[in-house]
Amino acid sequence: MWVRSRFAISTPTGTINSMRLKTLCIAFLLVLPACASAQNVDQIIAKVLAARGGLAKMRAIHSERVSGKISFGDVSGPFVVELKRPLKMHMQLTIQNQTMVRVYDGQSQGWANNPFAGKMNPDAMTEDELKNITEESDFDGPLVDYKRKGNHVELVGKDKVNEKDVWRVKLTTKNGDVRFYLFDANSFHLLKWEGQRKYEGKELPVESYFSDYREVGGLKFAYAIDSGSSATDLTQKIRIEKIELNPELNDAEFTKPPTPPLPDAPAGPATTPTAPAKPPAS
């Protein structure tokens, strides 16, 4: 499942005040922590699974639809993300009458348009974009079965997030990318994610904060995700309004999308989104 508190609309983030939206990744990532030490990692994971609702319920989710509102500074709009095992993803968001769509077929192809940068056609994703979306579309996240996925995890130590005690866990992916997950030492919920997202050859720092955990179908999800380049620059805010588990999803939604229609002319001067990069996926 995503992050979802899992989610992992995972997200780079950014501000909305320039002529170019650099990157949008919804970070809803399903996250499962790994460990206080090598000898008790199984105990820690068992506690996390129990806090989330149990591995059996997680594995029983084969598709998911998440909808809500995303905001960048003073502008906001609706988004919908649909996921289907094993790795299919369809994301759509609309800001100021312009719609961005990102699609991954679950195998090797993805498409995206960026109307905020004047790119209306859903073009094939770049290598970096494919790398990001394959992480976002992973239902279980990189910490579940991390060895099988070629990832490495280690405990950095105790830390604080908003005065709460947390475990700081370092994940190094099989590609050498490093992310940090900060889990509440009492509830075992993800409170913070730290990492970088590559965009146009640049590594952009990203922090995401997860809160407002609610239960859906016996599983816990974070309904609020705030992201930015630092704790004082949280310029992307996601507020989930609805999570649907195991909806019927047509496989056609995960193929190349049609070219979006041209937007209506704005009534006045438009503020166009710009975003540094955002994380996500777990």
Side-chain angles (χ1 to χ4, degrees), residues 72-113:
F72 302 86
D74 295 330
V75 301
S76 63
F79 74 83
V80 178
V81 178
E82 294 181 330
L83 298 155
K84 188 174 183 178
R85 285 192 188 273
L87 292 172
K88 295 179 180 180
M89 176 177 163
H90 184 285
M91 185 274 282
Q92 179 172 311
L93 68 85
T94 301
I95 300 285
Q96 294 181 327
N97 296 323
Q98 298 193 86
T99 299
M100 169 181 278
V101 179
R102 299 170 67 240
V103 177
Y104 183 57
D105 69 358
Q107 299 180 30
S108 61
Q109 297 188 77
W111 303 269
N113 72 312

Side-chain angles (χ1 to χ4, degrees), residues 123-237:
D123 298 324
M125 287 185 171
T126 65
E127 182 178 346
D128 286 338
E129 289 172 330
L130 282 173
K131 184 178 175 182
N132 288 339
I133 202 168
T134 53
E135 286 190 37
E136 296 170 48
S137 60
D138 182 353
F139 253 69
D140 297 319
L143 291 172
V144 178
D145 299 327
Y146 65 88
K147 291 182 180 179
R148 179 178 60 79
K149 295 175 181 178
N151 300 329
H152 174 73
V153 295
E154 60 183 282
L155 179 70
V156 177
K158 279 289 187 70
D159 206 333
K160 291 277 190 180
V161 173
N162 296 327
E163 303 305 316
K164 290 186 176 181
D165 291 328
V166 296
W167 286 110
R168 176 181 284 271
V169 176
K170 178 182 179 180
L171 168 80
T172 304
T173 71
K174 64 179 180 181
N175 298 317
D177 296 324
V178 176
R179 291 93 165 82
F180 292 93
Y181 298 83
L182 285 76
F183 299 101
D184 190 305
N186 295 311
S187 70
F188 296 96
H189 290 155
L190 178 68
L191 297 186
K192 184 181 179 182
W193 182 99
E194 300 174 1
Q196 292 186 326
R197 276 291 182 265
K198 183 178 288 186
Y199 182 77
E200 294 185 345
K202 298 179 180 180
E203 292 285 350
L204 303 174
V206 179
E207 293 185 4
S208 289
Y209 293 81
F210 301 82
S211 60
D212 190 16
Y213 277 85
R214 306 182 195 178
E215 184 174 310
V216 180
L219 294 169
K220 291 292 184 66
F221 298 85
Y223 269 61
I225 305 171
D226 298 336
S227 303
S229 59
S230 69
T232 58
D233 185 35
L234 299 177
T235 50
Q236 176 178 298
K237 297 181 183 297

